[in-house]
Amino acid sequence: MPDITTDAAEESTSRRAADHIAGNPRILIIDDEAGIRDSLETMLTLEGFTVTLAIDGVSGMEQLSRNQFDLLLLDLALPGESGLDLLPRIVEMYPTLPVIMITAFGTMGNVVDAIRAGAENFVQKPWDNEKLLADIRTAIARHRAEEEVVQLKRTLKQRYNFENIVGKSEPMLKLFDLVSQVAPSRSTVLIQGESGTGKELIAKAIHANSPRRDHPFVPVNTGAVPSELLESTLFGHVKGAFTSAIAAKKGLFEVANSGTLFLDEIGTMTMDMQAKILRVLQDRRFMQLGGTQEIQVDVRIIAATNVNLQDAVRAGRFREDLFYRLNVITLELPPLRSRREDVPLLAGHFLRLYSNENGMEERTLSPEAMRILMDYEWPGNVRELENAMERGVVLSTGKIIQPELLPQQLTGNTYSATLLEQQPNASLFDLMEEIERRIITDRLERCHWNQTEAAEYFRIPLSTLNQKIKRLNVEIKKRNRE
């Protein structure tokens, strides 16, 4: 039985955290000099911050225990316990709270000690107001993004038991509600979405929130298994069924009994395999390869595809009866470019993940690097973003990841750099025409050669796009309906 008291406490904490994130940034100043406190309070209040003051470590720790703050300005030389002595305790108790140390007696030793102890930055009196404000805003923005991810994950965990799924955009919130509705049922689910959108994570979330959660979740990428081995992989085989079958082997349907079988990239199956899958969906029975006895299973099927199965049915590449069996409940995963507000949350999540995995201090993105992420189209979706953040963490030597550590395709230099290498003697006009040709061709490919969709993306009339296609000799391929 759930612990109602614990759930209520966690919900109250979640509400307080959400209210805190939504309000003005709150800063705690711990400094024993009244003039310094008053000066900082005036400046920060005028900038829209909510400021709380403390004169020493004791009163400062009391404030930290009673309120939530976005940043701490901590004086090094405090009466009693110094700021440097206080810092490790603050970092241990409030690990996500950024701390900027302030002192009139800054030495390199103090700076090193403060940073090692967990300080965000070190400012020496008298300071430059603009630089201090910039440092404060950067630290608070990062802190709030981290708090938002923690809050979001807590909410999703309480409400849905979702793991490793991050998103606050409207399309994702609607998807979470749908997942919570369909999870308790026995119905087959079809998940559709571009490659890299996280179809397997959604399948796992459905399983984790279903009555089958204590039984196996068995994923198989049907497109990655050679067609001649797929039947044996799914249904198993008896000894001697084929040359290398030296022993009997269970198939994944049997392994997943009482649980969930996730058939990824189901659109790649041969028509013969589709017929066999259809029979299992209808009768919950199958025979092993080379076997004579039927095996009955209780398996929930979740299928996924990055192709349009209706188009595949019309083209004769996918069985219509299987499509309707799979299409009981369909979930559409939005591409990352249609939910850009999730990019900072996802980036922060992956930066923390790979910083921890590599034993590094947590990395963050510079404002310019974040701008590049927000402007990029993400053809590889969440998987591409994850790879970019892992690369940035591994290659970084400091806490802040700058644009030069991002993959080249994100920074917009791919076309120009390649062309300059390929055509070193070309004129600027020729280079610009080639770049335009490549951009249009690239977009048409992503739109499956749908010129109307490409024109809408470029925000130009279809007639204008057609003129450019003709002028630039862009080769139009037959529209790929998959």
Side-chain angles (χ1 to χ4, degrees), residues 179-479:
V179 169
S180 68
Q181 288 179 319
V182 306
S185 73
R186 295 172 55 89
S187 300
T188 300
V189 178
L190 176 63
I191 304 174
Q192 297 188 132
E194 296 178 8
S195 294
T197 49
K199 295 186 285 293
E200 185 170 341
L201 284 178
I202 294 298
K204 287 179 177 178
I206 294 171
H207 175 76
N209 287 272
S210 76
R212 300 171 181 267
R213 67 179 65 89
D214 295 325
H215 298 282
F217 173 85
V218 180
V220 55
N221 186 333
T222 59
V225 180
S227 56
E228 63 272 15
L229 297 179
L230 187 57
E231 182 175 359
S232 172
T233 299
L234 293 176
F235 303 123
H237 59 257
V238 299
K239 182 179 179 181
F242 46 87
T243 305
S244 59
I246 58 175
K249 182 181 178 182
K250 286 185 178 180
L252 295 183
F253 268 99
E254 201 170 349
V255 172
N257 193 30
S258 300
T260 302
L261 181 63
F262 175 54
L263 300 175
D264 198 6
E265 304 302 346
I266 195 167
T268 63
M269 278 188 178
T270 64
M271 298 293 279
D272 182 54
M273 275 304 305
Q274 291 174 34
K276 291 179 169 65
I277 294 294
L278 177 63
R279 182 166 184 267
V280 180
L281 287 173
Q282 290 172 334
D283 303 333
R284 303 293 170 179
R285 296 173 181 273
F286 64 91
M287 282 196 295
Q288 291 183 320
L289 193 62
T292 56
Q293 300 269 337
E294 283 193 327
I295 298 173
Q296 185 166 0
V297 288
D298 173 21
V299 175
R300 184 183 194 174
I301 301 296
I302 300 177
T305 179
N306 63 1
V307 303
N308 188 317
L309 291 185
Q310 286 181 303
D311 285 348
V313 168
R314 285 192 287 268
R317 293 188 302 273
F318 201 84
R319 292 180 62 106
E320 186 175 18
D321 47 6
L322 177 57
F323 171 70
Y324 288 118
R325 276 283 178 179
L326 293 172
N327 198 35
V328 178
I329 298 170
T330 301
L331 301 180
E332 297 280 350
L333 263 68
L336 186 55
R337 62 182 172 275
S338 71
R339 54 183 185 106
R340 293 182 188 274
E341 60 266 51
D342 290 337
V343 170
L345 291 175
L346 287 162
H349 167 73
F350 292 131
L351 288 174
R352 279 186 293 280
L353 173 66
Y354 288 108
S355 295
N356 291 335
E357 279 194 8
N358 289 280
M360 296 177 173
E361 188 176 1
E362 188 175 310
R363 270 37 177 176
T364 58
L365 293 163
S366 71
E368 177 62 18
M370 180 60 76
R371 185 193 64 76
I372 290 171
L373 263 57
M374 294 299 290
D375 289 343
Y376 186 59
E377 281 295 292
W378 298 111
N381 291 294
V382 178
R383 186 182 298 126
E384 185 180 10
L385 174 59
E386 179 178 3
N387 292 341
M389 295 302 94
E390 181 180 11
R391 179 184 192 274
V393 169
V394 172
L395 296 180
S396 63
T397 56
K399 289 176 61 177
I400 309 298
I401 294 176
Q402 300 294 342
E404 55 265 25
L405 293 184
L406 298 176
Q408 191 179 42
Q409 69 268 21
L410 271 66
T411 61
N413 295 326
T414 306
Y415 288 135
S416 57
T418 303
L419 281 174
L420 287 172
E421 292 174 0
Q422 293 176 348
Q423 305 177 31
N425 299 320
S427 69
L428 178 61
F429 178 81
D430 290 337
L431 289 171
M432 291 179 68
E433 274 205 337
E434 181 60 24
I435 289 173
E436 189 176 12
R437 182 182 297 109
R438 293 190 184 191
I439 290 173
I440 290 174
T441 302
D442 179 69
R443 176 47 49 185
L444 285 167
E445 285 179 349
R446 295 187 192 184
C447 294
H448 306 297
W449 304 98
N450 185 324
Q451 295 175 43
T452 301
E453 185 178 340
E456 289 175 355
Y457 171 82
F458 288 128
R459 299 177 187 174
I460 59 175
L462 178 58
S463 59
T464 302
L465 178 61
N466 286 332
Q467 290 171 7
K468 287 181 176 290
I469 288 171
K470 189 173 182 179
R471 177 175 61 82
L472 297 168
N473 294 319
V474 175
E475 182 183 356
I476 301 298
K477 298 180 181 179
K478 184 179 178 181
R479 186 178 171 189

